[in-house]
Amino acid sequence: MSVTQQAIAVGQGFARPRPVRRAWFSGIHGADYVWAIAFALPYAAIFFAFVVYPIAFGLWMGSDPALYDELFADPRYLTAVVNTLLYVGIGVNLKMFLAFLLSGFFMRKRWWSKALLVIFILPWATPALPAYMSIHWFLNGQWGMLNNILYTLFGIDGPVYLNEHWMGLGANISAYIWKTLPFWTIILLAGRMSVPQELYEAAEVDGATGLRRFAHITVPMLANLYLVCTLLDMVFALGDFNATYFVSGGGPAMSTEVLATLGIRYAFTVALPRLGVAAVMSALPLLIPLVILLMRKLRMSEGQL
Amino acid sequence: MLSGSVGLAATAALSRPYIANAQAKTAVCWLNQGFIPQEDEAMKKVCEDYMKASGNKLDYSIMPFMAQNQKTISALTSGDVPDLVFMDAPSSILPQNAWDDKLVDVSDVVKPYESQLAESARLCSTFYNKATKSRSYYLCPIKQGATPFHVWGDLVEKAGMKISDVPKKWDDIWNFLKQTQAPLRAKGMRKIYALGLQVTTVGPNDGNNLFAHFLIANGGEGIVTPDGKLHTDDPKVREAAIKSVEFMTNLYKEGVVPPEALSWNDADDNNGYHEKLFVADFDGTLSTELAMIKDKQAFYHDMVTLAPEQKNDGTPMKTQVGTGGGYIPKGAKNVAVAKDFMKYFMQPQVMNENLKGGLGRWVPAIPQVVKDDAAFWLKSDMPCLLPYVTEAVLNPTLPVYEGFTPAWGQANAEQLWGQAHADVIKNGMKVADAVDKAFKRTEQIFAKMTFG
Amino acid sequence: MSATTAVRRVGHRLHSRLHYRVRRYGVEGVCLLLGLAIVIWSLTPIYNMWLIALSLHGDIFSGDLWPSNPSLESFRVVIYEDFWYLARFWHQFGNSFYVGLMVTFLTLFIGSLASFTVGRMRLRNGWMLTNAALMTYVIPASFLAIPIYRIMQIYGLGDHLVSVIMALTTFATPYAIFIFSQYGKSIPMELDESARIDGANPWQIYFRIYLPLMSPALVAVGTYALLLAWNEYLYNFLLLSSPESMTVAVALAQFLNSDESPWNYMMATAIIYALPPIILYYGFRRHMAAGLTMGGVKG
């Protein structure tokens, strides 16, 4: 029997509960060890060449305590912190939840699902700069498309969205979700596809309804992936300045600034890059627990299935 | 040996401004991309001409403004610097880096031209260095830019008024132009506004620039003096600030400004102007007009460019000009060649040729150039050029305050005045309170920079 | 069975069949609505971009819902490189492809190798590698630009496309490793074991079993890496100086040189530029379902 045939045979027997045994249970020996090291080398090389020094340098850049005094004295800083918490909290969690639901939606076998998926990933594929600028113009109070639609369809004069703090923040978050939702949906979709069909079929035979199958198979299987994605996306969202910069520009009156845009302003508008790094690093107390949590999640990777 | 030749060249600056090196050296230059292709062509030509004349080689890259900004800051932070950086608007980078002793002193390049340079150009090129505890030239000035009024003359006529009736005093100009709104709306232009007042905190500079001019018009130009000191405690300055904020917020409240203006970014006001969303605005350089150069009707007939004339007390108004040119980061490997190139560039005829290529969007830092080449600068068939040149070169000008101290740049970056407008308009603060709040924060920022 | 009971039973069956049909069509309807909502949500800002791209310069912000003078002029300008910002459009397009494909390939290859060796071969202390990978994200990429610029200069890679490729691979790979580890857990270890017994060496297991089963994750992460490299502009212009080496993402940034720019050209460029990743994804979409067939073949 060839390896592939054996694999299929083994895959068939998957639904039966079995104690998980590791492929190289008794440890890697000899030649295998060499292979293992060889496989690990490429990433290790990248890490030592391109991560160690830059991260160390970056941490050094933000390490001067005087920078933080200056940072806290800036009246925009506190607003930026609150906005960042909202931006990350809502932007990430709402998006991941939607991604989870939509991944289920896209699992359905419809002839138009595939086509829809291609349309769906358009926001992700479009370059950020023009896309966000387009949203900024879309929301313009005077000649933006949204208000034009409202006027044409309903005859109402829409408000000036970006003149209000909450609408501006909402616009930024929505724009960010719009742009990145497809990405996470695809990841979760891939995750859903890894859940073996046998489990669903076995459950159906056992008489479980759709909702129970969902709660007892889908959710546990995807839980870890969902968590990892959420944590990673929080890290990404913390560093995202494009959405805020181009959609609301931090306005009105700098009330929608986030730490990333504040940092970029410090770094490139007043040539104080160290202060810029300090701005994002002031989020480290939030970031470090996330990273540690991620590390633990990844470490606990034995016997998940 | 090289420094000896440079010394020789400095003394013989006008007759033989460049050194012909026995060994040709290569200087790495980062030049900013222009606004129209002709600007880039003109830049390339200067570089090529210099290379031919001197035998030195320039390894130049023309890069987009944003890219160059970020690249330069990265270079200055990491220490891997080019030999020359040439920017149209270096006021975001220069003050802080000169303060931190990261730039090469270029007095030897600028001094020979000192007497010919406009005073504002000199002041814009002088920065304080904390390490040497003194001011010196760190920028080789080549070009300057000012802020005129851009008005749709055809809309003014349509409103039944005449451009020739535009008053001379600053506030009166605004009051005159705001009267165009009612008649135009009555004629069916449902969405038109009179004034594109950039009372915004977004976008790097429009709001700050506008406010600075209001301040000047109201007599508050002494807010920062060339020694870098802040004078918010001066009652004249405070009164000027209060009058300015009051005037601007009143305009907004009267409804002659598009409500969106509170959150306009850098391009929104320009887009609005082109769309004839409003009749007039006050925005930097001639880019507004030049962008429509292909629309003959608009460019040659409809658009009117006006230079501010008088402060509110009737005395002539000096407007602020920014200055662009070349600077040399410390640690550059080929300082001599970089300096030599700038010396070449600063020659009036070279400066002139280069700036003419840009269709006059930037004016020369040496005023005499404009008078010598009057055919282009003063008698141009481009109607926008003469008012602009008058404002930026012929009339006396003030430098932007960034050169006096980096603190002003930081205060600007915090958009304190846009914040003051927002406080009054959105949060109902009293004008005096909003001004005091902005002053307080400005004082905090200035307190961090100690001279001497 | 009495007549009433029979009638009742038939009635009941009819009722439940109707019920079933209503529910099915109801669900279908909801799905259709959801699909419609997705289309509107995804396409609206993009429609705005189309609107601008199809407008002539003077009409861009006229506030029409449909361009009053629709014109393909912007697209023509981009394709024929008729505007000075776009003078090297196709060459830069080629650069984008080169960088994009290299980053994708390297990320997928290095990432899958690393997750294979740590997750499946259980390299001792392999967790140190994945934890170290996480360090990459401690500081957001936009702020790491300056140190990375420095280190590329130190390595003498200034102004080479290789520096951009390596920088972007460095950012994409840790993410790839995490997703592969998570996804790889669903592939039973028995497969590896039986292959070992069969005499396969680790490379064969990696190549013949692991990679095919990972297809959906490979497609997902590959698209991510491609788009990261495709649309990234900060590192591109920071690490490169000459216009020869720039990608289209950087060319787009030129439009922000001043507050006046032909936005219609910019939008047309963006639209054309967004197409290749979409087409590539469409080409690979079959592989998104591969896992299902391998993992769940019926006996």
Side-chain angles (χ1 to χ4, degrees):
Chain A
M1 256 208 287
S2 79
V3 171
T4 342
Q5 280 176 308
Q6 277 191 322
I8 297 177
V10 170
Q12 284 175 307
F14 181 67
R16 278 179 264 127
R18 269 168 152 226
V20 175
R21 289 189 336 183
R22 306 171 195 180
W24 289 275
F25 185 60
S26 43
I28 317 176
H29 301 303
D32 278 2
Y33 197 70
V34 175
W35 280 107
I37 295 289
F39 284 3
L41 269 180
Y43 183 68
I46 290 199
F47 179 76
F48 284 109
F50 299 112
V51 178
V52 175
Y53 177 82
I55 293 284
F57 190 105
L59 288 173
W60 168 82
M61 277 177 80
S63 62
D64 184 358
L67 291 170
Y68 294 94
D69 287 334
E70 214 178 313
L71 200 61
F72 297 144
D74 188 339
R76 301 173 292 175
Y77 178 71
L78 196 57
T79 323
V81 170
V82 172
N83 286 337
T84 310
L85 285 173
L86 285 171
Y87 189 81
V88 173
I90 300 178
V92 171
N93 287 305
L94 181 60
K95 177 177 56 186
M96 291 307 295
F97 183 66
L98 286 174
F100 184 69
L101 293 180
L102 283 173
S103 60
F105 174 75
F106 281 112
M107 281 288 279
R108 288 170 175 273
K109 292 200 186 5
R110 294 221 164 13
W111 60 267
W112 42 268
S113 273
K114 295 261 171 65
L116 191 63
L117 202 54
V118 175
I119 293 181
F120 182 60
I121 71 168
L122 261 178
W124 179 29
T126 320
L129 224 86
Y132 287 136
M133 286 177 81
S134 163
I135 296 181
H136 174 81
W137 289 328
F138 180 77
L139 293 173
N140 185 296
Q142 268 79 60
W143 34 256
M145 203 166 116
L146 184 56
N147 278 356
N148 281 329
I149 294 176
L150 287 177
Y151 187 75
T152 316
L153 289 181
F154 306 114
I156 50 177
D157 264 326
V160 181
Y161 304 99
L162 298 175
N163 267 2
E164 304 298 327
H165 165 58
W166 291 111
M167 285 203 269
L169 195 58
N172 291 342
I173 295 178
S174 305
Y176 181 63
I177 293 181
W178 174 82
K179 187 103 188 21
T180 48
L181 180 63
F183 167 42
W184 296 106
T185 309
I186 301 264
I187 297 286
L188 287 181
L189 184 60
R192 274 188 195 254
M193 284 179 176
S194 73
V195 177
Q197 278 296 89
E198 280 87 5
L199 290 184
Y200 286 113
E201 281 149 20
E204 203 167 350
V205 163
D206 281 348
T209 61
L211 198 60
R212 290 196 66 182
R213 290 203 302 273
F214 176 76
H216 290 272
I217 300 179
T218 317
V219 173
M221 287 294 187
L222 285 188
N224 230 36
L225 181 63
Y226 186 87
L227 192 61
V228 169
C229 286
T230 306
L231 294 176
L232 274 176
D233 196 31
M234 284 193 176
V235 175
F236 290 160
L238 214 60
D240 176 75
F241 70 91
N242 278 324
T244 306
Y245 192 81
F246 288 108
V247 175
S248 76
M254 320 224 96
S255 59
T256 54
E257 290 275 353
V258 289
L259 286 175
T261 49
L262 206 61
I264 291 284
R265 277 191 207 276
Y266 287 139
F268 298 118
T269 317
V270 282
L272 291 172
R274 291 192 68 182
L275 195 55
V277 176
V280 275
M281 275 179 61
S282 68
L284 270 183
L286 177 67
L287 206 54
I288 297 277
L290 282 181
V291 169
I292 294 180
L293 198 60
L294 255 177
M295 286 190 190
R296 291 182 54 186
K297 274 281 148 203
L298 290 170
R299 209 178 161 178
M300 281 168 37
S301 43
E302 7 276 69
Q304 187 55 26
L305 288 172
Chain B
M1 182 186 86
L2 268 177
S3 46
S5 332
V6 168
L8 257 175
T11 48
L14 291 171
S15 50
R16 265 203 58 187
Y18 50 82
I19 44 175
N21 246 338
Q23 352 154 250
K25 288 245 183 111
T26 308
V28 173
C29 303
W30 291 351
L31 315 170
N32 71 310
Q33 195 173 33
F35 166 69
I36 32 180
Q38 293 92 318
E39 274 187 66
D40 279 7
E41 291 309 314
M43 234 5 199
K44 285 189 202 153
K45 184 161 181 298
V46 171
C47 295
E48 299 295 329
D49 287 348
Y50 171 75
M51 288 200 262
K52 266 193 235 117
S54 69
N56 291 317
K57 198 166 171 322
L58 294 176
D59 182 7
Y60 63 89
S61 319
I62 298 187
M63 45 184 87
F65 155 73
M66 227 168 63
Q68 190 197 29
N69 199 39
Q70 293 173 328
K71 228 172 140 78
T72 308
I73 291 182
S74 304
L76 286 167
T77 312
S78 70
D80 305 292
V81 293
D83 295 306
L84 180 78
V85 183
F86 191 95
M87 283 185 166
D88 289 344
S91 58
S92 57
I93 296 188
L94 277 176
Q96 188 64 45
N97 282 292
W99 180 276
D100 293 333
D101 195 26
K102 289 213 173 126
L103 302 176
V104 170
D105 190 317
V106 292
S107 305
D108 48 342
V109 179
V110 180
K111 283 243 164 62
Y113 295 102
E114 208 173 6
S115 52
Q116 300 173 65
L117 287 170
E119 195 199 344
S120 51
R122 290 201 296 272
L123 286 170
C124 278
S125 310
T126 314
F127 300 95
Y128 184 81
N129 184 334
K130 199 167 167 61
T132 64
K133 295 203 199 326
S134 65
R135 290 186 179 270
S136 189
Y137 285 113
Y138 288 99
L139 175 72
C140 306
I142 300 280
K143 47 175 81 168
Q144 294 192 294
T147 317
F149 285 98
H150 310 275
V151 184
W152 281 112
D154 59 331
L155 290 182
V156 172
E157 309 252 321
K158 193 169 170 183
M161 298 155 67
K162 290 209 275 242
I163 278 287
S164 47
D165 286 342
V166 171
K168 294 200 190 305
K169 287 195 192 156
W170 177 264
D171 277 3
D172 294 342
I173 300 178
W174 294 100
N175 285 328
F176 176 84
L177 289 170
K178 82 179 181 193
Q179 291 168 44
T180 54
Q181 183 163 319
L184 286 175
R185 286 215 175 169
K187 286 201 174 154
M189 295 185 80
R190 189 178 64 88
K191 291 203 284 189
I192 192 111
Y193 288 89
L195 306 170
L197 203 70
Q198 304 106 326
V199 282
T200 175
T201 55
V202 185
N205 217 23
D206 284 347
N208 294 323
N209 190 28
L210 182 66
F211 181 76
H213 283 91
F214 265 94
L215 206 59
I216 295 171
N218 282 312
E221 64 264 30
I223 187 170
V224 184
T225 39
D227 57 0
K229 294 217 173 23
L230 183 68
H231 297 273
T232 46
D233 48 355
D234 182 347
K236 191 161 155 233
V237 168
R238 184 166 180 273
E239 205 191 309
I242 292 179
K243 279 204 201 132
S244 309
V245 174
E246 194 164 21
F247 190 83
M248 282 196 270
T249 50
N250 282 345
L251 281 179
Y252 187 92
K253 289 186 198 163
E254 282 170 31
V256 293
V257 178
E260 193 83 22
L262 262 182
S263 41
W264 270 346
N265 67 21
D266 203 23
D268 284 334
D269 54 335
N270 298 66
N271 295 336
Y273 182 77
H274 286 304
E275 236 21 78
K276 291 194 171 170
L277 175 66
F278 48 81
V279 178
D281 77 349
F282 185 71
D283 199 28
T285 78
L286 291 178
S287 50
T288 313
E289 284 85 356
L290 289 174
M292 296 189 86
I293 196 168
K294 291 205 186 117
D295 182 347
K296 299 254 182 297
Q297 175 64 29
F299 187 75
Y300 287 101
H301 302 282
D302 295 341
M303 290 200 277
V304 175
T305 314
L306 296 173
E309 291 202 44
Q310 288 177 1
K311 291 159 55 164
N312 287 336
D313 59 6
T315 53
M317 177 155 169
K318 293 188 196 176
T319 53
Q320 272 190 334
V321 288
T323 308
Y327 57 94
I328 304 174
K330 238 188 195 162
K333 301 191 187 67
N334 255 308
V335 176
V337 176
K339 283 189 176 180
D340 198 49
F341 175 46
M342 287 319 302
K343 222 175 293 186
Y344 174 83
F345 205 152
M346 281 182 80
Q347 294 174 92
Q349 67 272 28
V350 178
M351 194 192 276
N352 191 32
E353 282 312 303
N354 180 267
L355 294 174
K356 287 204 310 196
L359 295 186
R361 179 173 173 236
W362 302 102
V363 296
I366 296 179
Q368 189 61 33
V369 168
V370 155
K371 296 179 195 146
D372 288 341
D373 195 352
F376 176 80
W377 294 101
L378 301 175
K379 303 204 184 89
S380 172
D381 65 339
M382 295 196 293
C384 53
L385 196 53
L386 181 58
Y388 187 62
V389 173
T390 312
E391 176 182 355
V393 184
L394 300 177
N395 291 347
T397 52
L398 283 174
V400 287
Y401 298 147
E402 274 83 342
F404 299 165
T405 165
W408 184 251
Q410 283 182 38
N412 271 353
E414 286 195 21
Q415 308 287 344
L416 294 171
W417 299 105
Q419 181 69 52
H421 296 130
D423 280 334
V424 173
I425 293 173
K426 284 174 67 64
N427 304 332
M429 225 191 243
K430 284 217 281 283
V431 174
D433 294 337
V435 169
D436 286 331
K437 178 179 161 200
F439 274 359
K440 187 152 167 278
R441 179 63 189 151
T442 316
E443 282 154 20
Q444 274 178 353
I445 297 174
F446 269 75
K448 287 184 297 174
M449 306 261 157
T450 43
F451 293 83
Chain C
M1 201 189 336
S2 73
T4 39
T5 331
V7 168
R8 216 179 279 147
R9 213 176 266 166
V10 168
H12 187 72
R13 227 180 280 142
L14 277 174
H15 181 116
S16 60
R17 201 173 288 158
L18 188 65
H19 207 215
Y20 168 72
R21 249 196 225 132
V22 165
R23 249 200 15 190
R24 227 191 74 187
Y25 287 136
V27 168
E28 279 297 304
V30 168
C31 281
L32 269 172
L33 276 177
L34 189 56
L36 193 61
I38 289 177
V39 170
I40 295 180
W41 163 263
S42 300
L43 288 186
T44 310
I46 301 198
Y47 176 69
N48 200 27
M49 290 172 69
W50 271 98
L51 200 60
I52 297 175
L54 287 173
S55 305
L56 296 169
H57 190 64
D59 293 333
I60 295 177
F61 299 102
S62 55
D64 295 327
L65 287 178
W66 180 259
S68 45
N69 299 310
S71 136
L72 289 175
E73 171 67 13
S74 311
F75 292 96
R76 188 200 66 81
V77 165
V78 175
I79 294 175
Y80 286 101
E81 299 182 331
D82 200 9
F83 181 62
W84 69 309
Y85 285 158
L86 299 164
R88 312 229 37 161
F89 177 69
W90 291 113
H91 177 86
Q92 291 165 338
F93 204 71
N95 285 341
S96 294
F97 260 108
Y98 176 62
V99 173
L101 291 175
M102 285 301 291
V103 171
T104 307
F105 172 71
L106 284 174
T107 304
L108 289 179
F109 185 59
I110 298 179
S112 59
L113 277 180
S115 78
F116 182 74
T117 189
V118 170
R120 303 191 72 78
M121 290 182 75
R122 300 256 173 267
L123 180 64
R124 192 154 20 152
N125 295 329
W127 59 270
M128 289 199 319
L129 194 70
T130 40
N131 279 358
L134 263 176
M135 292 304 292
T136 317
Y137 295 144
V138 163
I139 299 182
S142 16
F143 295 90
L144 269 183
I146 295 178
I148 294 214
Y149 174 79
R150 171 123 188 86
I151 198 151
M152 292 301 177
Q153 300 285 53
I154 294 178
Y155 291 154
L157 284 176
D159 209 21
H160 282 125
L161 274 175
V162 171
S163 61
V164 178
I165 294 174
M166 292 324 295
L168 295 178
T169 308
T170 307
F171 284 115
T173 314
Y175 178 75
I177 295 178
F178 305 145
I179 297 297
F180 290 154
S181 322
Q182 286 303 309
Y183 190 81
K185 284 184 214 158
S186 68
I187 301 174
M189 286 293 192
E190 283 79 3
L191 296 180
D192 296 48
E193 227 184 73
S194 33
R196 288 290 299 139
I197 298 170
D198 219 24
N201 65 35
W203 172 260
Q204 288 173 320
I205 300 178
Y206 166 78
F207 199 70
R208 296 263 178 80
I209 300 182
Y210 183 70
L211 280 187
L213 287 176
M214 294 282 286
S215 312
L218 286 175
V219 172
V221 174
T223 316
Y224 161 75
L226 177 66
L227 282 174
L228 179 72
W230 195 253
N231 290 330
E232 211 291 323
Y233 65 89
L234 178 65
Y235 281 89
N236 261 294
F237 65 53
L238 213 54
L239 297 173
L240 306 169
S241 292
S242 50
E244 304 301 299
S245 42
M246 287 180 182
T247 61
V248 175
V250 181
L252 278 170
Q254 289 173 111
F255 285 89
L256 296 178
N257 268 349
S258 103
D259 44 7
E260 296 279 356
S261 268
W263 306 114
N264 48 349
Y265 297 167
M266 181 200 208
M267 292 303 171
T269 313
I271 290 173
I272 296 180
Y273 192 57
L275 290 177
I278 306 264
I279 296 173
L280 272 171
Y281 176 79
Y282 190 73
F284 279 99
R285 74 197 186 291
R286 258 178 301 112
H287 293 279
M288 281 293 283
L292 270 175
T293 46
M294 277 307 283
V297 175
K298 275 204 160 30

